[in-house]
Amino acid sequence: MPVTKQARMGEMIGADFFRRDPLRCARELVGCELVWGRCGGVIVETEAYNAIGDEACHCFVRPSTRAFVERNEAGAAYVYLNYGVHWMLNVLVKGGEEGFVLIRALEPTRGVALMKRRRGINNERQLCSGPGKLTQALDITIRHHQMNLCANERFCFRKAADSVEVVADRRIGIRVSAHLPWRFTFRDNQHVSVRAKVRGRLKE
C-alpha cells in the first residue's frame, strides 16, 4: 500500500513520544513522516533495540553508547557508521525502558529530485529502501549525531494523520538476537527494505 504524495501529516512529535519503551515507539513511528531539511518521507520500516539485555544493541558492547544514553534526552539522534560504509539514523528512547529506534526505510514525499541526485539513481522505490540508502538520500552524517529531533521543525518527526497497518517481523542484518520480532513495517508498502515474512497484524 503506497502512501500518496499528498498524504496529510500532523504536528511535530515531541519528546514525550520517546519517553516510552522502544518497541512501542518503533511500532508507532511507522506511518509518521521524517522531515529532513528540504527532503523527507513517510516511515515505512523501523527496528527496536533495547539498551538492557539486547545483544544486538550497541549498549551491550560499547561503553560510549551507554554514555550517550546517560547524557542525552529522549528524542536525540544517534548516528553511527555501520561497517565503515553507511551512516545509520536512530532515535534515543528513554521511558520505562531505554533503547533506540533505527529508521530503516522511507517512502519519499519531499525533495525527491534532490534525493535522486544524491543517490545517483532514478528508481524512486530504491531511494530510501534501507537504512544506509535513506541516510545518503537525506545527507545524514555524523554531524547530526546528538541532534535534538524534537526541537526543530526542519529536522523532526511528524505524526501520521491516518492510521496504518503494521506488521511485526524478525530484525535483519544482525548476527545476534535476530529472532526477536522487533522489526516493524508498513503493511504491503513497496518501499520497505525486505518484505515481512510474518503476516500478523498489530492491533491499535
Side-chain angles (χ1 to χ4, degrees):
M1 179 187 298
V3 177
T4 65
K5 293 296 183 294
Q6 292 77 32
R8 298 177 297 109
M9 289 295 153
E11 63 186 8
M12 184 172 74
I13 293 175
D16 284 348
F17 180 94
F18 299 105
R19 296 190 183 112
R20 302 178 301 165
D21 67 275
L23 271 71
R24 185 175 179 186
C25 289
R27 184 189 106 176
E28 294 186 10
L29 276 176
V30 176
C32 296
E33 186 181 30
L34 174 62
V35 177
W36 208 268
R38 291 181 288 166
C39 300
V42 172
I43 299 169
V44 298
E45 183 178 349
T46 62
E47 278 181 346
Y49 290 86
N50 201 319
I52 304 297
D54 181 359
E55 292 181 275
C57 183
H58 283 183
C59 289
F60 197 81
V61 295
R62 296 187 184 184
S64 61
T65 303
R66 293 193 289 271
F68 171 90
V69 173
E70 288 296 322
R71 69 174 178 266
N72 284 279
E73 298 296 325
Y78 177 62
V79 180
Y80 66 90
L81 193 62
N82 192 42
Y83 298 115
V85 179
H86 300 295
W87 296 107
M88 300 285 168
L89 174 64
N90 303 257
V91 58
L92 175 62
V93 176
K94 296 182 75 172
E97 297 180 17
E98 297 176 339
F100 300 94
V101 176
L102 170 64
I103 310 302
R104 282 198 55 89
L106 306 176
E107 178 173 343
T109 55
R110 305 178 185 220
V112 175
L114 177 56
M115 288 193 279
K116 286 181 177 179
R117 289 198 297 272
R118 286 170 173 166
R119 292 270 291 120
I121 63 173
N122 288 316
N123 186 339
E124 199 166 311
R125 292 183 184 177
Q126 292 297 318
L127 277 182
C128 300
S129 57
K133 294 177 182 179
L134 74 86
T135 54
Q136 184 182 22
L138 299 177
D139 192 28
I140 295 172
T141 69
I142 193 63
R143 71 185 187 276
H144 300 110
H145 184 58
Q146 299 189 96
M147 176 184 285
N148 183 351
L149 299 180
C150 301
N152 184 343
E153 291 192 350
R154 294 188 65 247
F155 300 92
C156 70
F157 299 95
R158 289 196 172 278
K159 293 180 180 178
D162 303 301
S163 60
V164 301
E165 293 184 14
V166 180
V167 178
D169 195 11
R170 294 182 178 183
R171 295 184 296 189
I172 57 178
I174 56 177
R175 299 186 181 91
V176 292
S177 299
H179 65 286
L180 297 171
W182 290 1
R183 182 171 73 106
F184 302 94
T185 57
F186 192 133
R187 190 180 186 91
D188 297 328
N189 190 280
Q190 299 174 341
H191 296 261
V192 299
S193 64
V194 177
R195 293 291 184 91
K197 295 180 180 179
V198 177
R199 304 304 295 174
R201 181 182 303 177
L202 294 179
K203 302 294 185 181
E204 294 298 331

